[in-house]
Structure formats: C-alpha cells, structure tokens
C-alpha cells in the first residue's frame, strides 16, 4: 500500500531505530552521515578515482555542523532533510548559469540542457551546497534533489516585525520579495528514496571546502598540455579536403590553433552515431590525422552516446540498453561496467591508437525546455537497475569515464568537452559547454562551476558584430578551454564582414548582444589573432594552475568569493573571476565603452598598462575594443611565454617573468612531458621562480622529469606587451 | 528498504494479482480503470458537484480504448502507465499558454505561475488528455504527472527508413526534430504513488468528449448575469474616496462597467491577508458598497489564502496549517472540510451578506520560475494528510469551493478570478488569469482552456501603445470575463497619452508588443468605449452560451478543432477561437495592418460588414485599428442587445436579431433572474427565436421564470452596426 503519512527518521540526533546519528570520518575533514536507507545507485559508487592526498589542507578535528539539530523525514514522496543554518549566502549546486548565490532560492536539480530561467536545472547539477562560513554538504544521490535554500520558515518563527504595515505595493518584486523572517533552514528533498548519505565537508574557509571536496573526489584533472592551447571546431559539413584546407588557412593566417574539432559529419551516420568514419567525406582518416599532426594539430571528434544499429559497438552492447530510443538510437546502459568497457575498447582501438586526441560528448544531459523531448524518459528502466532519472544524473559522468579510460589505456592524456556531469567530477578531463550562448550567463558559469569540481567553457560560436566576436574571444581565452566552436559556420568567424547587414543572422536559441562598433575584417582578424596569441602566452601559467587543481584541488577558474569569503562586495559578484593563482579577469560585454569592476583588498596591477589600482573598492574605466582587463595581485611574478602558433610535445616555452609589486611571491611552474600519465609515477618538475631583493631571478627546478619545458628569464618591460 | 527494481502491475489485461483489468462504467460513456493502489487524496474526492444529467450526449455502448493493450508498472519513482496510441494530435492537459497540440511533447504537470517555456507547467494543469479521434483519458491524481505524449518509441520499433542517410544538419531544429518513427505510445508517469484510477471518456467526437467530461464534473458554471458585463480593477493604492471617484469617472465618460475590483489595499494587512477592511483607507465600506450599488456597480475583492496572525479567521484555523509560511502567513489546510468552512463562513458573513459580489483568489498556484520561491514546498505536510505537491494541485480548487459556498449560502451567484485550478473544475464560477501577459500566449489560452473544463481571461493591464491597448481590449471582450485589471496604474489605461514617450514603461515580466500606430487620447478612448459597448451588446448571446456550458457542457470559448476535429488546417490553429455557438473570433495583434486567418468549411459572414467568406480556406484582410474580425456561421441568427452602461438585476435587454445567411437556425436565449440559484429549481426560460420563410420573427418562450429579460425584434440593418 502507498505510504500516506510521513515518518520521522532522525530527530535530535536519534534515528528512528534508536541509534544515534553519528558523523563518520571518511577523509581528513570530511564526515559522512547516513540517514535512513540510501539507494544502491549513487554517485559515490561510480567515482573514477580514489581520494587524493589531502595536500595543503588545514587539519580539522571537529565536524563543523551539529547533526543533532537535523531533522530527517520519510514520506511517499521521498526523503527530506532539514538542516538549521542562517548563513548569508550559499554557493555550489553545480554549474548554475543563472545565479551565483543560491540563498533563499528553490532549486530543482534536474539534468537539463536548456533552462530558460533560474530554476536550478543544469547540464551539471551537483547536490553540493557550500557556505562562505566554511562548510559544505554533499548529498550522495542520483535523484533530482529539490533544495529550498533557506527560503522558508515556519509560521511560528515569524516575528511581529515581519508583519509590520508596509505601503500597498504595486510591483511584483515588492510583493514577492519581502523578508522571510528568521530561522529559514536548508531543506533538501530527495525524491523516491528512503534515505541518503550526506557528506559534511569542513573548511575552515570556503576555498578549503572546495579544495577538500576536489581532493576527496580524486583531485582535479590535468589536461594534456596541448589541450590548453587554442581549439577550433570546423563546419559540420566539411569533408577531409576542406578540413585540411582550414588547417592550412589557420596556419597561413597565423591564427594559433592546437586542436581541430570535427562535428557530426565525420561519422557514417549521426544522429544517432555509428562511431565510425564516413568513407565518402573522409576516405583516408589516418592520412588526414597524420597530415594534421605534421602541421601541429590534434584532432578531437564529436559524438553522442546514442547507438546506431550499424555501429560496430551495437552487437556488443546487445540488450543492455534503455527501453526507449533517443534520436532513433539505442541508449547504452553506461552504468554497466561491461557496456562502459565496450565504449572504452572501441574508442581506444579505433581512435586513441590512431592518434585522435579526444572527444566532444554531446547530449548526455536531458531536455525539458525544448520543443521535443529528445532524451530518454525519467521513468526509463536500464538493466543495471537504474531508472531514467538516476541514469540522467550519472550518464555524463559514466560517459566521461568510458572515454577517458580509452586514453588511459594508451597512456595519453586527453582533454575534451562534455554536456553533462555530476558529483566527484574533478578528475575528469572534460569541460562543460552549452547551447545557451548568452555572454553574461556564460561568464556566470566561470564563477559557479568551480564550486562543484566542474570546468566550464564559454565557447565562441557566432556573433552579431565584430565587437561581440572580440568580446567573447577575450572571455574564452581566460577559461579552461579556449574554444572557437564554428560548427555551423561555413568559414571562420573572423573572416565575416560584420559591417554588412545580416552577414550572420541570429542563430540558435541564445541571445546575442546588440551590435556596437564594428571594425572591418582586417582589423577584426588582427585583434582576434592577438587575443588568441595571449592565450598561447598564458599556457605555462594556466598549466601550473591545473597542477594546483590536481594536487591541491584549487580550481583554476573560480568566483572571487572563493578567495575573499568575508568581503560582502564579492558575495554576488558573478561577472569577474579568478584565473589561476594570481590573476583577476574582468570581461567586457558588447556595448560597454566603460567597464565598472570591483577589486578586493590589496593592490592590483593592470598587467598590460602596469597601472596600480587600490583594492577594496569599485573602479570604472574606458575600454577600447582591443583592450582587456586583467589584474595581477600585488606581489605576483607572472610568467608569460612567447607567441606560438601551436604547442608540440617538444615545445620549450620561453617564459618572461613580469613583476607586479614587491615583495614578490614565488612563482611555481609545473613541467612534465605534457601528454602521458608519467606524472602519476612522480615524473614531473616544479620550478620555483623567485626574485631576490636585488632583483635577480632565481629558478629552482625540483623533480624527476629529465626534460625541460621552460626557459625562464626576467621580462624587460614592466608590463605585458600585447 | 527502498524499491530498487520495478514491478509490472498490469499487462495484457491482467493485473499482477490475477484479476482482469476491467473498465467499470461510472457515467454514460465514461469508464474507470483502477490500476494498482490509488492514493487517498485525489481530485475526484474533492469534487464540488455531482455529475450532471448526460444531456445532449450521444449514447456510447463500448469503451473506446482497449485496456488489454495497456501496460502498468510500479517502481521506486511511482506508477507508470503506457497506452498504445498513434493519433495525429492530442489536446488538453489543462490551461497551456505555450502550445495547443501536445503531440510528441514531454509535459510536466506542475502547478506553476510563471513558466517561461513550453514545459507543461501551468496555473491549472489537468491530467486530462484528449484525442481528436474522440476519446479522453483523465488520470485521477493530485500528483505532478509526467506525460510523454507519443514522443518516444522503443529501439526495436525503429524501421530502417528512420535511419536513412540525411544531409549533415547544421541547425538544432533539424538535428532534434527528426521523425520519431512508428509506435510511440502515451506514457504517463504518476510520481510517488502505487496506482491510479484512469477515466476513459468516450466521444464519439472530440467535442463530445469535452462535453461529457464537463457534465461528469457537474456541468459548466453559470456566472451571475452581471458578471458577464465589463470589469475594472482599480489602482491598489486608492482609498474609498478614490474608488468612488473612479466609479463616477467611468459613468461620466460613458465607459461601461459592471464590476469594480479592489486590490490588496482594501485589507488592513496584505501580504499576508487579514481578510478584513483597512479602517484608514476604507473607513465605511458598507456605505461605499451601497453608493457603488446605487450607480450599478458590483464590488469584487482581491485576496490570497495566506493568513495573517491578526485575521479573525486565524484562531479558528488553529494548527490546521502547513509547516511552512507563505508571505509570512500561515497556509490553511483547505483540504480539511472544517478549514474550508472557516473560509466559507467568514466570507459569507463578512462579505457576501454585505453585498460583495465575489473575489479574486490570487497566488493559490506555486512558483518555480521566479527569483524567490514564495509558495509552500512540495514536501510540505498538512494535517489532512496531503503533502505539498497534492496540496498545490488541489489548493485552487478547494479555495474556489470555499468561496463559492459562501455565496451559495446567501443564494447569490458569484463570478470571480482564480490563479489555479485542476480537474472537475467546470462548475466553478471562476476564470483563470496570469501575470505572463504575452498577447499571443493569452490568445492561445482561449484555445486550450476549454478542453479541460476551465475558463480563461486574457485580462488587459498596461500597454505600450494605444494600438496595443485597443487590440488587447478587442480580445478580452470576446472572453469569459471582460476584465481591465489596472491594479498598478494610477489612472485608467485609456486616459494615458501613448504618443508621449515612456508614459507607461514596460511593466512586469510579460513581453509587450512593439508600438505601432498610436492615435491620441480622445480617439483611443472612443475606440475603447465602442469595444466595451460591444461586450455589453453581446451579453445575452454569451449568457446563453453559458447556459449551454451548464446544461450540455459545451465551453463558451473553445479552439476551432473542437468543432472541426477532422479539418487538418485547424489542428494547430491557436490564434482564433469559437465564441458561443455561432461566432468565430480572429484577434488582431499589435503591428498587424493585415490579418491572415482561416475559416472552416461552410460560408461565413463578417458580422460588421456583412461580407460573405468561403470556408475551408485562408483569407487575408486589411484591418484598421477600430476594426475587429468576428464571423458568424452561415444560418446564424445573432442576438445583439442595445448599449448599456451596466446591467442590473432588473435589466431587460432590447435584442435585435441579425440574420446571416439562410435558412436560419433557431437562436436560443436563456433567461432567469440572473443572480440566484433559482435556475437549479427549474426557474428559467428558454426563448426559441426563429425566422419563418416569410422573414417573420417568431419567439417562443418556454419555462417557469415569470419575468422577461429580453424584448426581441428583427434587426433593421443586415449587419451589426458598431
């Protein structure tokens, strides 16, 4: 019979069966609280890595939250946990493109591709909530958790002052936005289940919570070095010759590029996928890969996981598929290790061994907001025992793992794109992307992704003006992946003449900004080239930031509040971000002739002009189209490399170190072969670059890597020439 | 322990316990199929009326669907029913502002105020799906059902042709919109429960399904006659004197108006509500009501159900409230009959007996898409046993019933507005409304609401131009309630000078159309007056259409496909509607100098010009701002009354009958006292107005009502003068 009334499972530190609710230490500074009877299919079961060394983390002896104050309840709907908290802000819950601070919001953590509003739906929802006061809560569930993040209070908790007479409101915001009084706990409702494991993650600081979570997940990923260069995804209809042609054109026009991405047209059938080359459009893929490699290009291939009957993988998967087709393809049960292995084997033998460097994993999320529901139903049933909801939550994660393993098998690191992810994802060498294409939302993703072990790419597709193109490029080069995704553009975005009306009509669902100034093609191309060159020059700095992600769990891209949790000015700041250890990025949006921005406490240096700005206040500056706003924290030694059209496995970076303020902090540079997993076997170096009081540069190279990837010198100019 | 695997409950006509799945006849042409173990809190338990007489319905002997083909399954997520069907279109699922045809869509029937996309979320989701082939399925559940409406098929059902090579697509629509092959059943997933009663509703036509459902629900509502006049909701900050002043101004300016609506400012506290007059702004409400009554105005009061501590109802409700406050008010457990009675009693004694004619019931829906979640959580718990999800589904219905009962107790019919409703709602004398304010969406609501026993009002608030104001007014007067809702306008919309820039900035979340032509204030006021006068002249026609709704279940406003289910041109037609038995309305949107429209088979008469149009084809016409497009079906005798500034309980309508084509069908006019429930005791008349072959008008008055509300004559002009 149906459960018609609810049942209290835990209250006052006691479980219904009389046992005490006891946080169990599972990692330094992380405790697990078991409430009720958790399900079998949960994210922790499908982790790809063991926890990493708790390197750099402060020791914490006591669990930061008092679980005796929690209330847990079971009902026909599922399992509800209420946790007293009254923090001023909450962060996390995965990639959130529509808001940074989750306080006072209702969040539905559905996996979704195209949320048009700030609902919590996301490509990569993660049931991890983090307080600036220095604690985190991870709900180990593949269900679509509903969070009410300090949004509601009980009628009895309302004080008389909450009911004071107010003027009659005639604005919805005034009516709906009133104070919610005291005592609004965090409510987490986990549907359909009868229990959940909750991980409590200690700080003591917000940043420590994030680092601890990432290390517990296995540490951040270390992409292939070349993956940190420039990416270009080519028009989907181009054939082998046209792909070789764009490669030539990129080199001829001196546009830096390391990775060429091929879209669905490379396959003999897509959608759904055969995962096999189309012999008409690409008659000699091996030859093409070799020719591209000779010019310094890696090749990345698009796919999704829905399997065409003609795919060589199809017979091996058999009936281990979902009950419903997607894009007319079978949905592989990727939570079955054998099915995952079919994907791994195929991608290893057919692609990784042939020199393909990685994959773009499309449409592993879901659809609720588009015209037609293209993904499998939430009530689908898979042979592994997962239903559609659980599968949606874990599908992207399992998919990343299957493809990542193909490259691990050949001892090559990969770097790719993926459209869905979930908990414990930090070790996955994939960046998230989206069709939603609003520039401000894309910038917000830079701020929110870092809280939950996710990487996010604000990729550049089309633009309505050369101004927009430049502004978007300036954003993407300060992201984990400098990707131009021109899959629907028969040409390159910088060769369009934006002064012509309608050269590039509004495309896709995303909003594009209004056109502002539009310089001509030549000038635009020149600006774009310089922007991409800047990316190339930042690769050693960024690669070392990834080494920090790997070993300390510190996200290379993150919201300012992660570094300044006590500064109320950054609590809601979602249009600036930290890039690596020392740089603060201020993106500029189309139409902005001046940009207002905030700098936290301390002194800040414009890396291009050298101008010094006082922190702890807002500034405003005029910005030309070819200007970017990047600030170095006082005391930074910033390593900037020479221009390179692309990186190779043999590249040695000529690094010039720029000094911004004094005394200088030591600059660390990571080096290894850039492409294998030797670093896991201890084969890497760490360069300590320091400036003596006399202004002499000292470089200390520590480690087992026999090669050298950096020649380091002191910059002759005080600021970065651009 | 959690249910980890799913269990088949019914297959091949057999239940898991061995019993056959047997449709049980519950009403002429309606069968109920019990699958599994339904929950206790379901819409049918909270119906307000017994089924009405099956008047006018065709006899149907056999259940139109073969339940032996159904598959039902229970899992940890809830209960899933799969029903084979391959119809070309599906309608219903409650008020759907974003789409008419639900075929191939995923619908989540969450109660919601502000869905920004076509998701199924709605103020009034109703788990009723209707096929143009003449059957309906009602899932008797208060859960947020997920429907996959013929959107998916099993991998095994895909034919080779579904996999034919297609050109490489570079548009998302092309990629995502491909054929979904054969055999896509209807899937309904009812979360959290272990069974559901499914009602199968026979036709034989689509229209019969709707009528049958409405009669089974208790028959359509019959509003108070005066409620069909013009409504004006006044600025929320106005006090008693200002309300009396606007009343004078409406009469002085000869703007018709029957009902004046007061917004939150009438209460001593809102939000949340005390449900008591504010003694400062409204020191003498009885006197004001009397003075307004003397001028022919009824008074309607705004409220929501969230109870302020100072409300006189609060002590009587006690602890029969939800666990979480809304707008700092307690949420009454309206599924508890005693709590409902508290509302009924208070509204009866304090308002209905004082002459208040009705209420606007705000915010009884829910919120997922706004900045702050103002409504109660879905996992809330109420003493009646309902959780928050069930309560959200039924809250609006229970609220309508509580308030409706207050007027039944004093034998006065009411008419009001409500922001949420659900199944079996046809007898409720309330119209739905929304903040979403897109004119095209509002028109679509006219088409979709009628499938599910709902009335919808495309109310007029602000406008960006006088053109938009006029076009929206022209729409609303052909709706169930001719409402101008100026609650945030300190003045009247037709007294604004739209030629001045920014006189009325963009308000609220709704999109407003671009400004087109904008005549001056005087001219605008004149056009608005004529539009409102047309509403008044249509009241006898509309009132009789409501009598059809009452006795035959035929919605007074409905999509064309309800009357022409076999015409493929109207299958997707969501910007025209039927108004009453004979009129077809074509709204005009801002910016349209010409309007393209479709007329179904037969001949059609422009009621203003008399011009005859051939049916079964599209037409296009130039339209001036002061023109409307209303077409009468061939053979219509259209009753048009004289201009009236307002209706009274004594009004006798001078009706001129216009003849459009010949031979003429009989025109029926309903008359009664217009305000009491005497009609339920058989006290009403039906006038049969017919035109003899010689052109002589014959009026036959049948019934027990001693009075006369109509003086009927033959119009001297061939078409309606305006």
């Amino acid at each position: 019979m149906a459960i018609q009334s609810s049942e209290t499972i835990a209250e006052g530190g006691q479980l219904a069966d009389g046992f005490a609710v006891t946080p169990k230490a599972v990692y330094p500074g992380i405790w697990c609280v078991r409430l009720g009877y958790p399900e079998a299919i949960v994210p922790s079961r499908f982790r790809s890595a063991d926890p990493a060394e708790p390197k750099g983390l402060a020791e914490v002896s006591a669990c930061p939250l008092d679980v005796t104050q929690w209330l847990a309840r079971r009902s026909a709907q599922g399992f509800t946990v209420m946790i007293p908290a009254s923090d001023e802000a909450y962060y996390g819950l995965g990639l959130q493109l529509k808001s940074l601070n989750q306080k006072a919001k209702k969040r539905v953590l559905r996996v979704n591709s195209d949320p048009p509003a700030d609902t919590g739906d996301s490509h990569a929802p993660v049931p991890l909530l983090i307080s600036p006061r220095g604690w985190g809560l991870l709900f180990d569930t593949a269900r679509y958790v509903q969070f009410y993040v300090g949004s509601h209070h009980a009628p009895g908790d309302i004080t008389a002052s909450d009911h004071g007479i107010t003027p009659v409101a005639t604005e919805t915001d005034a009516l709906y936005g009133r104070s919610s009084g005291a005592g609004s706990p965090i409510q987490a409702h986990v549907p359909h289940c009868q229990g959940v494991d909750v991980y409590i993650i200690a700080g003591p600081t917000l940043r420590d919570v994030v680092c601890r979570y990432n290390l517990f997940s296995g540490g951040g990923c270390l992409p292939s070095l070349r993956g940190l260069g420039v990416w270009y995804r080519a028009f989907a209809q181009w054939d082998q010759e046209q792909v070789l042609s764009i490669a030539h054109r990129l080199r001829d026009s001196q546009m830096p590029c390391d990775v060429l991405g091929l879209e669905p047209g490379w396959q003999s059938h897509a959608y759904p996928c055969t995962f096999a080359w189309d012999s008409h459009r690409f008659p000699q893929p091996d030859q093409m890969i070799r020719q591209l490699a000779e010019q310094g290009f890696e090749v990345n291939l698009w796919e999704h996981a829905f399997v065409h009957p003609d795919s060589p993988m199809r017979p091996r998967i058999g009936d281990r598929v979902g009950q419903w087709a997607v894009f007319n393809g079978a949905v592989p049960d990727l939570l079955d290790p054998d099915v995952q292995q079919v994907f791994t084997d195929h991608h290893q033998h057919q692609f990784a061994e042939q020199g393909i460097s990685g994959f773009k994993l499309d449409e592993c999320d879901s659809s609720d907001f588009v015209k037609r529901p293209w993904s499998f139903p939430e009530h689908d049933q898979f042979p592994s025992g997962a239903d559609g909801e659980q599968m949606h939550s874990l599908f992207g994660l399992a998919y990343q793992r299957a493809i990542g393993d193909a490259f691990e098998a050949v001892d090559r690191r990969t770097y790719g794109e993926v459209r869905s992810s979930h908990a414990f994802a930090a070790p996955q060498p994939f960046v998230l992307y989206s069709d939603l294409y609003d520039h401000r939302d894309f910038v917000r993703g830079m701020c929110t992704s870092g809280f939950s072990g996710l990487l996010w790419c604000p990729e550049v597709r089309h633009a309505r003006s050369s101004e927009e193109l430049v502004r978007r490029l300036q954003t993407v080069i300060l992201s984990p992946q400098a990707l131009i995704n021109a899959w629907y553009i028969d040409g390159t975005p910088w060769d369009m003449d934006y002064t012509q009306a309608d050269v590039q009509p509004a495309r896709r669902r995303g909003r594009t900004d209004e056109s502002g100034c539009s310089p001509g093609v030549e000038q635009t191309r020149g600006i774009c080239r310089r922007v991409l060159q800047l990316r190339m020059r930042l690769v050693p700095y960024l690669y070392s930031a990834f080494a920090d992600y790997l070993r300390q769990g510190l996200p290379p891209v993150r919201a300012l509040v992660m570094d300044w949790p006590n500064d109320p000015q950054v609590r809601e700041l979602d249009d600036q971000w930290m890039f690596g250890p020392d740089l603060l990025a201020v993106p500029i949006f189309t139409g902005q002739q001046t940009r207002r921005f905030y700098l936290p406490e301390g002194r800040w240096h414009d890396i291009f002009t050298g101008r010094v700005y006082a922190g702890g206040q807002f500034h405003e500056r005029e910005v030309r189209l070819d200007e970017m706003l990047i600030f170095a924290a006082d005391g930074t030694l910033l390593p900037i490399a020479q221009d390179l059209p692309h990186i190779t496995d043999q590249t040695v970076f000529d690094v010039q170190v720029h000094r911004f303020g004094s005394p200088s902090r030591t600059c660390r540079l990571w080096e290894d072969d850039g492409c294998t997993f030797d670093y896991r076997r201890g084969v890497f170096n760490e360069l300590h670059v320091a400036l003596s009081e006399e202004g002499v540069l000292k470089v200390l190279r520590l480690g087992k890597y026999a090669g050298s990837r950096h020649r380091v010198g002191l910059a002759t100019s005080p600021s970065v020439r651009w």
Side-chain angles (χ1 to χ4, degrees), chain A residues 3 5-9 37 72-76 78-80 193-194:
Chain A
I3 302 166
S5 58
S6 73
E7 183 187 343
T8 300
I9 295 297
Y37 303 97
R73 207 179 59 199
R74 185 179 87 132
S75 75
F79 200 78
T80 310
C193 72
Q194 307 203 20

Side-chain angles (χ1 to χ4, degrees), chain A residues 325-368:
Chain A
V326 174
F327 301 127
N328 289 340
V331 183
D333 186 349
L334 287 177
L335 298 190
D336 179 332
D338 292 341
V339 175
Q340 226 177 74
Q341 193 63 47
V342 172
F343 267 70
T344 299
D345 290 347
H346 182 78
H347 286 79
Q348 175 189 339
H349 300 309
Q350 298 304 312
F351 304 111
E353 291 174 0
Q354 312 313 315
I356 292 298
S357 71
F359 287 85
K360 168 181 174 178
L361 311 181
D362 209 0
E363 289 133 359
C364 46
D365 41 18
S366 186
S367 66
D368 278 273

Side-chain angles (χ1 to χ4, degrees), chain A residues 236 262-271 281 302-303 362 487:
Chain A
L262 305 188
E263 290 288 311
W266 73 269
Q267 292 193 44
S268 58
H269 198 288
Y271 299 20
R281 282 186 295 265
W302 172 97
E303 63 172 55
D362 209 0
W487 74 272

Side-chain angles (χ1 to χ4, degrees), chain A residues 445-526:
Chain A
M446 305 286 277
C447 299
T448 65
S449 52
F451 289 107
S452 309
L454 304 171
L455 299 173
W456 159 250
C457 172
E459 61 179 34
V460 179
R461 297 182 167 194
H462 66 280
R464 287 222 180 131
S465 64
S466 49
E467 180 191 4
E468 187 193 343
L469 174 65
V470 168
R471 292 310 188 197
R472 286 180 175 270
L473 270 183
Q474 291 172 344
T475 293
V476 82
I477 65 147
L478 300 179
S479 86
Q481 193 175 88
L483 170 63
I484 297 112
N485 180 11
W487 74 272
Y488 50 81
I489 298 178
D490 187 3
T492 52
W494 43 75
D495 290 323
M496 306 267 172
D497 183 356
Y498 293 93
T499 59
Q500 301 297 309
D502 290 331
V503 66
Q504 190 58 25
R507 288 295 306 266
R508 314 297 301 263
R509 285 177 298 286
R511 225 181 339 122
T512 47
D513 304 311
E514 290 298 302
S515 168
C517 58
S518 273
V521 176
E522 263 315 310
Q523 196 188 342
T524 301
R525 198 185 292 132

Side-chain angles (χ1 to χ4, degrees), chain A residues 231-274:
Chain A
W231 290 54
Y232 188 91
R233 302 205 75 91
F235 188 49
Q237 292 177 358
W238 284 347
D239 62 15
Q240 181 169 332
E241 287 311 308
Q242 289 167 304
V243 168
L244 288 167
S245 167
I246 182 70
H248 280 293
R249 272 186 287 153
L250 287 168
R251 290 289 178 254
D252 284 349
S253 60
Q254 296 177 294
M255 286 297 188
C257 186
D258 290 276
V259 185
L260 266 182
L262 305 188
E263 290 288 311
W266 73 269
Q267 292 193 44
S268 58
H269 198 288
Y271 299 20
C273 291
T274 50

Side-chain angles (χ1 to χ4, degrees), chain A residues 550-620:
Chain A
L550 171 73
R551 296 182 301 163
Q552 296 163 32
L554 182 68
V557 168
R558 58 196 182 278
L560 270 63
V561 74
M562 216 185 285
D563 292 28
W564 291 273
N566 300 318
D567 183 344
Q569 297 293 351
V570 303
R571 196 174 290 158
E572 313 282 341
L573 201 68
D574 58 0
D575 61 357
Q576 305 177 199
W577 66 89
M578 293 304 294
F579 182 68
D582 299 312
L583 297 182
L584 188 158
V586 179
I588 301 162
F589 299 102
T590 308
Q592 290 185 327
Q593 263 88 52
T594 64
R595 176 65 156 96
R596 185 175 147 86
F597 55 92
Y598 180 77
L599 297 173
E601 65 181 358
R603 281 152 49 93
W604 293 87
H605 304 256
D606 181 323
I607 68 164
F608 301 112
T609 66
R611 189 177 145 186
V612 179
Y613 287 78
Q617 59 184 260
F618 282 91
H619 296 274
E620 187 157 2

